[in-house]
């Protein structure tokens, strides 16, 4: 990102060039400063700072700073470096957290908002029709499926999750038009998940798959949310894919909640919380 900005700097207006030179001098500081201070340091107006960001192909300063922070994070030490037996606790802290943050930033930069919109629309339509929403996963992805069920149950959905292959096949056989199946898998190669997705789709249910691009499961679903992270199977490999999938669940749940609207959700959540409090403190 910085190399591209450097190579195109000479084609910009003189005022915008000053913003670019300020950025290249200290990109980390640039990504944290408000527009007023950036303008003062570059000796330009605040609109000039915004114009510079748009000249680089971004929506504005906020979008530019987010992408800049992601680009810088991908270049910090230890990124995508495996944890080793000789590492001390500080090494592990830095490597695991930086690797996870980088995976999140990469997803944010690569994610298809169009695919998220399609998935959210399908899930919201399932709720509107009073149909079933189911989440499938195996192993670590099974934990994600349970978390997704919990979040959407709170939103008033008729939802369950399955991590057992036999239950997945049987449950998928009962799905039909208007129902929605969401499947999580890092590798996208689990036979039962593939079969379940094919059965549900054949029966007319909407199938959303959260998996790596190019995997067998990616081609089996109707809507594909690409979650590309090369999970290592070495002894010291952190399960970043599970955290990435959990984040995608949060994105979907929040997007769907906004589509449903607060008029329906707030009384439901308020009543649910009060009943839990009554039970907890009785």
């Amino acid at each position: 990102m910085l190399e591209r900005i450097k190579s195109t700097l000479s084609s910009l207006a003189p005022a915008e060039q000053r913003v670019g030179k300020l950025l290249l001098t200290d990109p980390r500081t640039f990504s944290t400063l408000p527009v007023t201070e950036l303008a003062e340091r570059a000796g330009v107006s605040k609109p000039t700072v915004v114009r510079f960001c748009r000249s680089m192909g971004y929506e504005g300063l906020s979008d530019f700073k987010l992408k800049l922070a992601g680009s810088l994070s991908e270049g910090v030490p230890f990124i995508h470096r495996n944890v080793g037996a000789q590492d001390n606790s500080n090494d592990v802290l830095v490597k695991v957290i930086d690797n996870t943050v980088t995976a999140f930033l990469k997803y944010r930069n690569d994610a298809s908002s169009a695919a998220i919109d399609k998935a959210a629309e399908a899930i919201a339509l399932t709720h509107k029709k009073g149909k079933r929403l189911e989440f499938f996963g195996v192993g670590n992805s099974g934990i994600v499926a349970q978390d997704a069920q919990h979040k959407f149950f709170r939103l008033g959905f008729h939802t369950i999750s399955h991590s057992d292959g036999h239950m997945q096949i049987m449950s998928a056989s009962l799905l039909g038009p208007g129902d929605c199946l969401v499947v999580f898998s890092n590798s996208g190669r689990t036979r039962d998940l593939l079969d379940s997705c094919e059965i549900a789709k054949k029966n007319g249910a909407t199938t959303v798959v959260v998996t790596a691009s190019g995997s067998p499961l990616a081609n089996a679903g109707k809507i594909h949310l690409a979650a590309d992270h090369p999970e290592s199977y070495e002894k010291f490999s952190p399960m970043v894919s599970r955290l990435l999938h959990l984040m995608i669940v949060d994105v979907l749940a929040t997007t769907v909640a906004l589509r449903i609207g607060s008029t329906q959700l707030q009384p439901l959540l308020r009543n649910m919380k009060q009943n839990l409090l009554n039970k907890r403190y009785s």
Side-chain angles (χ1 to χ4, degrees):
M1 181 177 179
L2 295 176
E3 287 298 323
R4 181 170 60 82
I5 292 171
K6 186 176 180 181
S7 65
T8 58
L9 203 59
S10 60
S11 65
L12 301 178
E16 292 177 20
Q17 288 186 30
R18 290 201 291 273
V19 180
K21 290 175 182 177
L22 175 66
L23 161 68
L24 294 173
T25 300
D26 190 354
R28 292 189 185 280
T29 299
F30 189 99
S31 67
T32 63
L33 293 178
V35 65
T36 301
E37 190 164 349
L38 289 173
E40 290 177 357
R41 292 193 180 194
V44 299
S45 66
K46 290 188 286 186
T48 300
V49 176
V50 177
R51 281 199 302 272
F52 165 78
C53 298
R54 289 175 176 163
S55 297
M56 293 295 103
Y58 300 92
E59 295 179 3
L61 180 61
S62 296
D63 182 46
F64 180 83
K65 288 168 69 175
L66 280 171
K67 302 296 171 58
L68 176 63
S71 179
L72 294 172
S73 178
E74 290 182 358
V76 301
F78 298 128
I79 290 298
H80 296 311
R81 282 174 54 184
N82 293 330
V83 176
Q86 304 304 316
D87 287 339
N88 58 35
S89 57
N90 186 63
D91 294 330
V92 173
L93 179 73
V94 173
K95 290 182 180 182
V96 171
I97 293 177
D98 280 357
N99 196 25
T100 303
V101 169
T102 300
F104 287 0
L105 291 171
K106 184 179 186 305
Y107 174 77
R108 184 204 62 200
N109 292 339
D110 297 344
S112 167
S113 58
I116 293 172
D117 279 339
K118 287 182 181 178
E121 183 65 30
I123 294 172
L125 188 60
T126 298
H127 179 270
K128 183 178 180 180
K129 293 182 176 180
K131 295 289 187 175
R132 292 164 62 85
L133 172 64
E134 301 199 1
F135 298 96
F136 291 0
V138 175
N140 284 295
S141 296
I143 297 173
V144 177
Q146 290 179 344
D147 180 76
Q149 180 206 4
H150 178 265
K151 284 187 170 64
F152 280 91
F153 183 80
R154 292 178 66 247
L155 299 181
F157 280 77
H158 303 294
T159 179
I160 59 174
S161 66
H162 290 300
S163 57
D164 176 79
H166 288 83
M167 290 298 297
Q168 289 167 353
I169 296 293
M170 289 190 290
S171 191
S173 302
L174 299 175
L175 296 177
D179 296 324
C180 185
L181 172 62
V182 183
V183 181
F184 301 94
S185 175
N186 185 53
S187 68
R189 299 182 183 278
T190 304
R191 185 72 258 168
D192 289 334
L193 292 178
L194 286 165
D195 289 344
S196 298
C197 200
E198 291 288 355
I199 291 169
K201 187 166 66 172
K202 183 178 179 180
N203 289 344
T206 301
T207 51
V208 179
V209 293
V210 182
T211 186
S213 299
S215 72
L217 186 62
N219 299 319
K222 181 178 180 181
I223 302 170
H224 175 215
L225 300 182
D228 296 318
H229 177 74
E231 192 79 276
S232 170
Y233 294 96
E234 295 182 7
K235 181 177 180 180
F236 302 110
S237 173
M239 293 296 178
V240 176
S241 65
R242 182 173 71 185
L243 297 176
L244 180 59
H245 289 176
L246 287 170
M247 183 180 67
I248 293 172
V249 170
D250 278 348
V251 171
L252 278 177
T254 304
T255 306
V256 171
L258 290 171
R259 288 174 184 264
I260 293 174
S262 59
T263 304
Q264 294 184 48
L265 284 180
Q266 285 182 345
L268 174 69
L269 295 175
R270 192 180 301 115
N271 182 53
M272 191 181 298
K273 184 174 183 179
Q274 188 58 53
N275 288 334
L276 287 171
L277 289 172
N278 292 343
K279 180 176 177 61
R280 187 177 302 166
Y281 298 115
S282 59

